[in-house]
Amino acid sequence: DAMTGGATALEAYFDARARDADMEANEAAAMMFPTSVAACVAAVLFAIVIAVLMWRAFYDPMRKLTTVARRIAEGDATARMPPLAARELATVGRSFNEMLDAVEGHRQRVATADRLAAIGQVTAGIAHEINNPIAIIRGYLKTMRKEAGSEQLRQELAIIDEEAAACQRISGDLLAYSRAPKLELERVDVGRLVRESGERPDAKAPAVRVDVEPATIRVDPLRMKQVLRNLIRNAEQASGSSEIDIEGRRTPGGYRLSVKDRGRGLPEGAGARVFEPFFSTRCDGSGLGLAVCYGLVSAHGGSISAEDRPGGGVEVRIELPEREALAP
């Protein structure tokens, strides 16, 4: 009886404990459900916020890229990508802008070449038609000077002949510009070529300082001397008594020659037009010297450009291609 009573009491005890544990579990479950729901809702909201931020991080740059591309297609060559916050996308934006700069530079070069080619065709016809009458005029002037009855008349006829000769030189420059020159290429020492081009018989002429990296280049020496002497003469007229620098350097793409002066520099907007015929920054210039230089350098397969120097003056660069340049 005692053992039965003890077992009954023990059963009742464990039943009470089980009921208490069950009640505590139910209460805990009732309390955890709202917390779980709140946590799920917070997780969903957090995921939505992250998705929106990521979408904006990619969508906004793509939208800007599309806008810039549309502006470029509509003819706005100045459209560029603004700086982007994301590092990876910022790299893409910079590369895109660099591509646009390269395309615009190529477009301008092509437009300039087309414009110069059209001008060359027109000037060739004009020069040919003008040259023949000038030659006849000079022939008659030569005869008239011999038959002139007074010294004053001979002097006046000589002045007319000089002006006709100037017109003939301009006509010759026009023909030289418009026709593809026939080059006689040979390998020459660039230092010797530059020094011979810089020799000035006039003692009052500005000094020419030569600093060229030794190399042998394959060019037409007479034509290249004509280019360098023309550039030196322009630099002398621009800088007065200031020293003129000629530099030569080997480059990854070939060889570069630079003629530098310390004159007034280029007028605003003139950098892209100085190699056009008839364009001159001097009131007494014909505007054909640099145009002829452009044609001769282009015939060598190179390029020529002009830009202002820091501190004043102009630097004219001649870039000869790799196939024309050799190591020392």
Side-chain angles (χ1 to χ4, degrees):
D1 291 339
M3 289 176 63
T4 301
T8 301
L10 189 61
E11 181 183 1
Y13 172 76
F14 280 115
D15 286 341
R17 292 291 303 272
R19 285 192 300 271
D20 292 342
D22 187 57
M23 291 178 63
E24 290 177 358
N26 290 334
E27 292 176 356
M31 293 178 60
M32 288 297 297
F33 179 75
T35 305
S36 301
V37 172
C40 290
V41 172
V44 171
L45 293 176
F46 181 75
I48 293 174
V49 171
I50 293 298
V52 170
L53 292 177
M54 293 182 63
W55 172 255
R56 288 182 178 178
F58 286 94
Y59 171 75
D60 188 60
M62 294 301 103
R63 180 180 57 80
K64 293 178 179 178
L65 183 63
T66 304
T67 302
V68 172
R70 186 179 297 111
R71 290 174 58 190
I72 291 292
E74 292 174 353
D76 184 5
T78 62
R80 294 294 183 273
M81 282 289 292
L84 302 176
R87 181 181 304 176
E88 295 79 4
L89 296 178
T91 302
V92 175
R94 287 194 299 270
S95 300
F96 188 73
N97 288 340
E98 291 173 359
M99 179 195 69
L100 292 179
D101 292 338
V103 170
E104 177 62 17
H106 178 70
R107 187 195 65 79
Q108 292 180 357
R109 289 191 294 272
V110 170
T112 300
D114 291 343
R115 184 169 61 254
L116 294 179
I119 295 174
Q121 293 178 353
V122 174
T123 55
I126 295 174
H128 180 73
E129 295 299 327
I130 291 178
N131 199 38
N132 292 334
I134 292 178
I136 296 174
I137 291 172
R138 295 197 67 192
Y140 276 104
L141 286 172
K142 185 176 181 180
T143 302
M144 293 172 66
R145 288 175 63 185
K146 292 180 180 179
E147 298 175 354
S150 65
E151 182 62 26
Q152 181 179 358
L153 180 58
R154 281 192 292 271
Q155 291 178 357
E156 292 173 350
L157 292 173
I159 294 173
I160 297 175
D161 186 53
E162 289 177 1
E163 296 300 323
C167 293
Q168 205 166 33
R169 284 193 299 271
I170 294 174
S171 176
D173 288 341
L174 286 172
L175 290 174
Y177 166 75
S178 59
R179 294 174 178 173
K182 183 179 179 181
L183 302 180
E184 297 181 1
L185 301 177
E186 58 183 85
R187 304 195 185 280
V188 298
D189 178 72
V190 66
R192 179 180 178 183
L193 176 69
V194 172
R195 285 191 294 271
E196 290 178 354
S197 303
E199 292 177 352
R200 312 294 289 164
D202 187 1
K204 297 181 180 180
V208 178
R209 185 173 59 186
V210 177
D211 178 19
V212 296
E213 189 174 1
T216 301
I217 56 177
R218 190 165 179 265
V219 296
D220 185 324
L222 294 178
R223 297 294 191 179
M224 195 53 60
K225 285 180 183 178
Q226 180 182 355
V227 172
L228 291 174
R229 286 170 178 167
N230 201 345
L231 297 179
I232 292 171
R233 183 166 60 251
N234 283 357
E236 175 185 344
Q237 294 171 349
S239 60
S241 59
S242 300
E243 194 173 57
I244 299 170
D245 295 325
I246 302 180
E247 295 181 359
R249 295 290 183 270
R250 287 198 299 273
T251 65
Y255 200 89
R256 175 189 301 134
L257 287 168
S258 301
V259 179
K260 306 177 181 180
D261 64 60
R262 283 298 182 188
R264 297 184 300 273
L266 295 171
E268 184 177 357
R273 300 190 58 199
V274 292
F275 298 104
E276 293 183 4
F278 309 117
F279 180 84
S280 177
T281 58
R282 304 194 314 270
C283 59
D284 59 342
S286 64
L288 292 172
L290 290 179
V292 172
C293 291
Y294 177 90
L296 293 176
V297 173
S298 298
H300 282 83
S303 62
I304 184 171
S305 60
E307 61 182 19
D308 287 320
R309 295 180 64 189
V314 175
E315 176 181 358
V316 180
R317 292 182 179 180
I318 300 172
E319 300 281 354
L320 296 175
E322 186 176 3
R323 64 177 181 274
E324 307 295 349
L326 301 174

